[in-house]
Amino acid sequence: MITLTHVTKQFDRIHYGLNDVSFHIEAGEFVFLTGPSGAGKSTLLKLLFRDAVPSTGEVQVAGHRLSIMPLREIPLLRRKLGVVFQDFKLIRTLTVFENVAFVLKILGVSHMEQRQRAFRALKMVGLQHKLSSYPLQLSGGEQQRVAIARALVNDPLVLLADEPTGNLDPDLANEIMSLFERINGQGTTVIVATHDKPMILKMRKRVLGLERGRLSWDQPAPASTVVV
Ligand SMILES: Nc1ncnc2c1ncn2[C@@H]1O[C@H](COP(=O)(O)OP(=O)(O)OP(=O)(O)O)[C@@H](O)[C@H]1O
Ligand SMILES: [Mg+2]
């Protein structure tokens, strides 16, 4: 589903966002991306949804070769992805419902279907009762959950999330991770960038570790103990 081959992202002569990073993620995997602040986690996610292009190397996502992909193909790629940003990026002047349904509206989905799918996505994050609120009337955690509903509304092949639990209390963070697990169980490839070490340990998934732009480890999910 995702392959990086010798990917480097250089911002200027001495600053690297990523430095010679290669890995492969199969369809249906759940992968954590971790590493200290400034390690390159957000830079990597940006390359995956073609918000940035590598300086050298090849990024392949869902059958698209991003380095040779014409600009007109970007919407096709993004239609297959759901992205949860570090800073939510909700539109203040739109209600919760409108924020979640926005992408469907752009895709020309009927009003009735927009309502059904936005409602279903909001129900998944437990916010169906906040349909008519505006983002600034919500807590940080609630805004984060709206951002997650928005990423899920289009049934993406791949869900990319940048620090999705950074603003949440531990119970809510656990709930969001369970939600991601459920989504992953339905076949969606999930990639979560986070600093949250206890969460990573608890979840027992594959972990990619970045340090100063380099992939410093790739730890497979621990084998599950089969209880007969
Ligand atoms: N547009 C840019 N121009 C110059 N340098 C940048 C740019 N974007 C990121 N960087 C640098 O690239 C490095 C990686 O940044 P990135 O945002 O990917 O880190 P991160 O791992 O997501 O950190 P955090 O955990 O704080 O979110 C940092 O040193 C950052 O300063
Ligand atoms: Mg970041």
Side-chain angles (χ1 to χ4, degrees):
M1 182 61 79
I2 293 169
T3 306
L4 267 71
T5 316
H6 297 298
V7 169
T8 292
K9 176 71 182 174
Q10 201 169 356
F11 291 110
D12 54 46
R13 212 162 46 81
I14 48 167
H15 292 106
Y16 286 86
L18 288 177
N19 196 345
D20 195 17
V21 171
S22 301
F23 61 81
H24 175 72
I25 294 176
E26 293 284 339
E29 276 196 78
F30 189 128
V31 179
F32 282 111
L33 191 60
T34 194
S37 183
K41 304 180 294 294
S42 299
T43 302
L44 201 160
L45 292 180
K46 281 179 188 161
L47 293 175
L48 297 182
F49 65 97
R50 187 49 171 81
D51 193 35
V53 284
S55 312
T56 57
E58 177 65 87
V59 178
Q60 283 176 269
V61 179
H64 300 265
R65 279 181 66 187
L66 272 53
S67 63
I68 56 163
M69 185 174 82
L71 292 182
R72 64 170 188 279
E73 237 180 83
I74 294 178
L76 275 177
L77 167 76
R78 293 197 183 148
R79 233 172 269 174
K80 299 177 184 171
L81 311 177
V83 186
V84 182
F85 299 96
Q86 203 162 7
D87 57 355
F88 319 148
K89 295 203 197 301
L90 297 175
I91 302 170
R92 286 174 184 207
T93 52
L94 299 183
T95 64
V96 163
F97 168 78
E98 289 163 344
N99 265 285
V100 174
F102 191 69
V103 62
L104 300 176
K105 194 172 165 185
I106 289 176
L107 293 176
V109 170
S110 74
H111 192 69
M112 170 107 103
E113 201 179 331
Q114 281 179 42
R115 285 194 68 81
Q116 286 169 349
R117 285 166 67 176
F119 187 78
R120 197 187 58 188
L122 282 165
K123 209 168 160 198
M124 279 177 111
V125 299
L127 282 180
Q128 65 275 28
H129 57 292
K130 296 281 188 182
L131 275 175
S132 319
S133 302
Y134 287 86
L136 293 179
Q137 297 171 324
L138 302 178
S139 72
E142 288 168 338
Q143 290 182 43
Q144 183 62 302
R145 285 188 285 157
V146 175
I148 292 167
R150 181 184 54 187
L152 294 178
V153 78
N154 202 26
D155 294 326
L157 284 177
V158 182
L159 179 69
L160 306 173
D162 201 350
E163 298 286 353
T165 57
N167 297 288
L168 305 182
D169 64 53
D171 285 346
L172 217 45
N174 285 330
E175 257 177 54
I176 294 296
M177 281 301 161
S178 310
L179 173 64
F180 285 173
E181 252 187 328
R182 264 200 344 259
I183 293 155
N184 178 242
Q186 292 164 8
T188 302
T189 308
V190 175
I191 304 176
V192 179
T194 182
H195 289 118
D196 190 342
K197 280 194 186 141
M199 178 67 81
I200 293 174
L201 279 174
K202 197 165 65 188
M203 295 285 291
R204 302 170 62 85
K205 306 289 184 193
R206 179 176 170 194
V207 186
L208 297 177
L210 287 170
E211 270 172 61
R212 295 195 205 153
R214 287 188 179 272
L215 186 66
S216 51
W217 76 93
D218 180 351
Q219 184 189 306
S224 54
T225 319
V226 181
V227 182
V228 183

